[in-house]
Amino acid sequence: MIRKRVVTSMALLGGLSFIWLFISTEKQRFKGYSSQALRDNISGSERSNAAEFADIMVSRQHGRKRQVSAYCKTTKANTLQPKALNHFIVDNKHRVVYCYIPKVACTTWKKTMAHLVGLQSKSVHDQRFNLLSSHSKAKVRFILQNYYKFIFVREPFERLLSAYKDKFTRKNNVLKKYAKKIKRSVRERLGTNSTAGDAEIKFKEFITYLIDVNNKGGRLNEHWHHYDQLCHPCEINFDFIGHYETLEEDAPFVLHEAGVDQLVSFPPVHFTSTKDNLQRYYSEVSREDVIQLQRIYRRDFEMFGYNTSQSLDSLINRTDGPNAIK
């Protein structure tokens, strides 16, 4: 009887030791992942602890990477030259690389990276970042093989609208540079002059210009260029693929995974009204142009798992606007 109790006690102690070891391991695994970040990003019974949240995030990453890999198998890989890597910000001290895509929380991420590397400037766009394009081929190869690399993408139609609202509804250098080009595209493609004033660009005119540039094989501005031309995900194996739509969860997690969450933090996310305004703006665009636009940006949809058909249907099967389907 005594021996049985001893065995039972030892088994109980062994079980408690295992539980203690598990808890210690999880604490170590999430060392530095702030309690505030956990409170902000975990809610409900299915995210009751950090380990379960991590499993969700890891599963999400596996899915996104599989999607990119599957798409890339259908395309021909390109040989990258260093000059093509001018959107990659490098932090040598912490071995982190961020490829920025304009209109995907790009400004906020640049501020975060500037803070991480110790740069200070009133405007983040004036920062002199260490870009991957400035390194030799050998150094580029070393960085891509040994540094933690991450990227953020966004639903393509929404990103285009965000670019339009930012660059063509207020005075700035982009508006000044492209206004005449866009007006010319409208005249050439539609055979009519723009109905807007010289200093005003309508959204449908912006879309007309994008289609015209694509048909002529012209180069796109970085604010509406393709993801694979900016960050080359078929040639570069990113450690983390973030989506703008899950930015609140992805941002603090990627900083933790990169090992820098004790040094910098991503500010609270405040989404703009761009998504809510999609229907209103795209209702100005003809059904044929929306379909052409989808074809132009198809690879951005497919590469990162955005539902092409769903996005297209929601914009062309509308019931209001001048080009509504009646």
Side-chain angles (χ1 to χ4, degrees):
M1 178 65 71
I2 294 175
R3 182 180 179 183
K4 185 176 181 180
R5 288 179 178 175
V6 170
V7 172
T8 302
S9 298
M10 290 179 66
L12 179 60
L13 288 173
L16 291 173
S17 297
F18 174 79
I19 293 172
W20 178 85
L21 179 62
F22 174 79
I23 294 173
S24 299
T25 302
E26 290 305 310
K27 284 184 177 180
Q28 184 65 31
R29 181 182 179 188
F30 289 94
K31 183 180 180 181
Y33 198 65
S34 70
S35 59
Q36 182 61 49
L38 292 177
R39 285 196 298 271
D40 290 344
N41 291 288
I42 303 175
S43 61
S45 59
E46 66 177 358
R47 295 184 181 180
S48 59
N49 56 64
E52 190 168 352
F53 175 60
D55 289 340
I56 293 171
M57 297 300 289
V58 169
S59 177
R60 179 183 290 172
Q61 283 304 302
H62 285 167
R64 290 174 180 175
K65 291 177 181 179
R66 280 197 304 269
Q67 182 69 32
V68 171
S69 178
Y71 173 84
C72 292
K73 288 178 180 178
T74 67
T75 65
K76 183 179 179 181
N78 298 314
T79 301
L80 287 180
Q81 298 298 325
K83 65 180 181 180
L85 304 173
N86 61 341
H87 276 68
F88 288 74
I89 296 175
V90 180
D91 174 8
N92 284 317
K93 182 178 180 180
H94 305 101
R95 293 198 166 197
V96 176
V97 177
Y98 161 58
C99 185
Y100 69 88
I101 295 177
K103 309 318 303 172
V104 189
C106 167
T107 299
T108 307
W109 273 117
K110 281 185 175 181
K111 289 179 180 178
T112 303
M113 291 298 294
H115 185 194
L116 183 62
V117 300
L119 292 177
Q120 294 182 349
S121 175
K122 291 183 178 180
S123 173
V124 69
H125 302 295
D126 294 333
Q127 302 285 8
R128 293 188 175 183
F129 286 111
N130 175 19
L131 299 178
L132 194 56
S133 56
S134 66
H135 296 278
S136 66
K137 288 185 178 180
K139 183 65 174 178
V140 167
R141 190 180 306 111
F142 176 83
I143 290 174
L144 292 179
Q145 290 176 351
N146 295 281
Y147 287 22
Y148 188 90
K149 306 170 293 297
F150 72 97
I151 178 180
F152 272 79
V153 296
R154 185 178 188 176
E155 199 276 345
F157 281 155
E158 187 179 328
R159 177 175 173 245
L160 289 178
L161 177 55
S162 178
Y164 166 77
K165 290 172 66 178
D166 183 39
K167 301 303 177 183
F168 296 108
T169 60
R170 67 191 77 176
K171 291 184 178 180
N172 58 69
N173 291 333
V174 174
L175 174 60
K176 184 178 180 180
K177 178 180 179 180
Y178 284 91
K180 290 184 178 179
K181 295 180 181 180
I182 293 175
K183 300 292 185 182
R184 184 167 59 248
S185 290
V186 172
R187 287 197 304 270
E188 292 178 355
R189 186 163 179 265
L190 303 180
T192 59
N193 289 323
S194 168
T195 58
D198 291 339
E200 181 184 354
I201 300 295
K202 290 187 175 182
F203 182 63
K204 65 179 180 180
E205 294 174 340
F206 172 58
I207 299 303
T208 295
Y209 167 74
L210 290 181
I211 294 172
D212 187 46
V213 170
N214 178 75
N215 291 342
K216 293 179 179 178
R219 179 172 175 78
L220 298 173
N221 179 281
E222 65 173 357
H223 292 88
W224 46 87
H225 211 342
H226 299 288
Y227 297 146
D228 60 339
Q229 296 300 303
L230 297 176
C231 292
H232 316 285
C234 288
E235 290 75 35
I236 295 173
N237 184 26
F238 284 94
D239 298 286
F240 189 92
I241 300 172
H243 281 203
Y244 181 83
E245 295 77 14
T246 53
L247 184 61
E248 288 179 290
E249 295 177 340
D250 289 354
F253 191 78
V254 70
L255 292 177
H256 167 71
E257 291 297 288
V260 296
D261 57 325
Q262 291 294 287
L263 304 174
V264 292
S265 61
F266 199 83
V269 177
H270 301 289
F271 291 109
T272 65
S273 60
T274 299
K275 186 173 183 178
D276 296 332
N277 291 329
L278 275 177
Q279 287 282 353
R280 180 166 67 87
Y281 278 91
Y282 277 93
S283 68
E284 301 175 7
V285 184
S286 70
R287 184 179 189 274
E288 291 72 20
D289 280 359
V290 173
I291 293 174
Q292 280 202 60
L293 195 67
Q294 182 270 336
R295 289 171 181 164
I296 293 171
Y297 288 92
R298 178 185 292 275
R299 63 195 204 237
D300 293 337
F301 279 96
E302 294 182 353
M303 189 182 307
F304 293 102
Y306 289 105
N307 192 318
T308 311
S309 299
Q310 186 178 47
S311 296
L312 187 62
D313 290 346
S314 68
L315 296 181
I316 66 175
N317 295 328
R318 56 214 176 207
T319 58
D320 57 356
N323 294 296
I325 307 302
K326 302 296 185 180

